[in-house]
Amino acid sequence: MSTVARPRRLADAAPAPRTNISDSDRRRPVVRVTLAIVQTLVLVALLVAGLGPLVWLALAAVSPTQDLIREPFAFFTSGVVQWENIGIAWERGRIGHYLLNTAVLALGATVATLIVSTTAAFVITVLRPKWGKLLSGAILATLFVPGIVALVPLYLTVQKLPVLGVSLLNTPWAIWLPAAATAFNVLIIARFLESIPADLYDAARIDGAGALRILWSIVLPLSKPILGVVALLSVVASWKDYLWPLLVLPDPDLQPVSVALPRLAAQTELSVQMAALFLSLIIPVVLFLVFQRQFLRGASMAGGVKG
């Protein structure tokens, strides 16, 4: 009775990944032990470098000031755990208020970035006007201008808007509008839109769809992955920004947590400062844990564009 050979699966037929160590060397006990030791040491080093500062800050947030000054790396030497440091930092240091300011500024900057970057990339990549190459070149040229060089002109513009003559100082618009004009975000969205088949746009035009209809029904639904990456990068950039909010938001009640923490350090003791730092780090860490795939995807795209 003849039997029919079962077709090999693609996974079985795929060649094994090539490495610097051959399979025969891997079977040797000395090589296996050496690899295990090296991998364990690398893993421990990564854990210490990545989680060590966070763990130290978490423990320092509930340690007395005397313990931090006497032996910073020996926790609870006096046997006292000051949980009230968290409450003092939240109430007296107004960390909750500053975190709310930071969330509002980051959310507005993210929305403005998505609107401006998406429409600019759509015009350059999909609509392709005659002046599209000139616009693309002008956007690309801004990447070569250091941010510190544009700081003074940008501040003067925000201080007194051309034509309108109004000042945006001490308003969220002073943070939102400059954050929207980011050439890097335009570039990565444009590169993503280039990967969408042009036949979709042609078919939509044949059916009578206009530019806005193409943007809303085709580009935005297909661009959700890259838009999520840009949104996360914008949130992180806004959350850690210090110099620009310090300049355009001189009112302490409007400042984000990144600007308020140095001022808090001059007004409170060391243990409360550590508690305030710990509270300000919770949200970024949680965001990374929840959206780590998008963060890693954004890092890979950023490396591809810059390379």
Side-chain angles (χ1 to χ4, degrees):
M1 182 177 179
S2 61
T3 58
V4 179
R6 186 181 62 180
R8 298 177 62 188
R9 295 180 300 177
L10 293 178
D12 298 335
R18 299 180 60 183
T19 61
N20 294 329
I21 302 176
S22 63
D23 293 337
S24 59
D25 289 336
R26 287 178 180 273
R27 298 189 186 97
R28 298 171 57 187
V30 177
V31 176
R32 289 202 306 268
V33 173
T34 304
L35 284 177
I37 294 175
V38 171
Q39 291 172 356
T40 303
L41 292 177
V42 171
L43 178 61
V44 171
L46 291 176
L47 290 176
V48 171
L51 296 179
L54 297 178
V55 174
W56 182 89
L57 183 59
L59 295 176
V62 293
S63 298
T65 301
Q66 293 76 12
D67 291 354
L68 294 176
I69 296 176
R70 188 184 308 112
E71 297 183 23
F73 296 101
F75 302 102
F76 311 129
T77 55
S78 62
V80 179
V81 179
Q82 292 185 349
W83 295 102
E84 60 270 17
N85 293 342
I86 305 295
I88 295 175
W90 185 267
E91 296 179 3
R92 189 186 306 173
R94 303 179 65 195
I95 293 300
H97 174 76
Y98 294 121
L99 287 175
L100 179 61
N101 290 345
T102 307
V104 171
L105 295 177
L107 180 61
T110 301
V111 173
T113 298
L114 290 176
I115 294 175
V116 175
S117 300
T118 303
T119 52
F122 176 74
V123 170
I124 295 172
T125 308
V126 180
L127 299 185
R128 297 181 182 273
K130 294 182 179 180
W131 42 268
K133 292 184 178 180
L134 179 62
L135 176 62
S136 179
I139 294 175
L140 183 61
T142 60
L143 289 176
F144 299 93
V145 180
I148 195 66
V149 174
L151 189 64
V152 174
L154 186 59
Y155 179 81
L156 295 177
T157 302
V158 170
Q159 187 181 30
K160 186 177 181 180
L161 282 180
V163 182
L164 298 179
V166 297
S167 176
L168 297 180
L169 297 180
N170 279 328
T171 65
W173 295 102
I175 303 294
W176 296 343
L177 295 182
T182 306
F184 176 73
N185 293 332
V186 176
L187 282 179
I188 61 176
I189 294 178
R191 290 193 60 177
F192 184 87
L193 295 184
E194 289 176 354
S195 64
I196 299 177
D199 296 340
L200 294 177
Y201 307 136
D202 296 338
R205 293 189 182 98
I206 293 174
D207 291 339
L212 292 179
R213 182 68 176 178
I214 294 175
L215 174 63
W216 183 261
S217 300
I218 298 178
V219 173
L220 292 181
L222 295 178
S223 303
K224 288 181 180 179
I226 189 63
L227 294 181
V229 170
V230 171
L232 290 173
L233 294 178
S234 301
V235 168
V236 172
S238 300
W239 200 274
K240 67 181 182 180
D241 195 12
Y242 171 76
L243 181 58
W244 183 247
L246 177 65
L247 294 176
V248 299
L249 297 175
D251 187 357
D253 289 335
L254 302 176
Q255 292 174 348
V257 68
S258 60
V259 180
L261 283 175
R263 186 176 63 254
L264 181 64
Q267 302 173 354
T268 58
E269 56 181 339
L270 183 60
S271 59
V272 178
Q273 297 174 28
M274 296 297 104
L277 286 172
F278 175 72
L279 290 174
S280 65
L281 282 179
I282 290 178
I283 295 180
V285 170
V286 171
L287 284 177
F288 176 79
L289 294 177
V290 175
F291 301 103
Q292 55 181 323
R293 291 185 179 180
Q294 286 79 359
F295 274 115
L296 296 177
R297 187 185 306 169
S300 63
M301 290 183 178
V305 173
K306 292 183 180 179

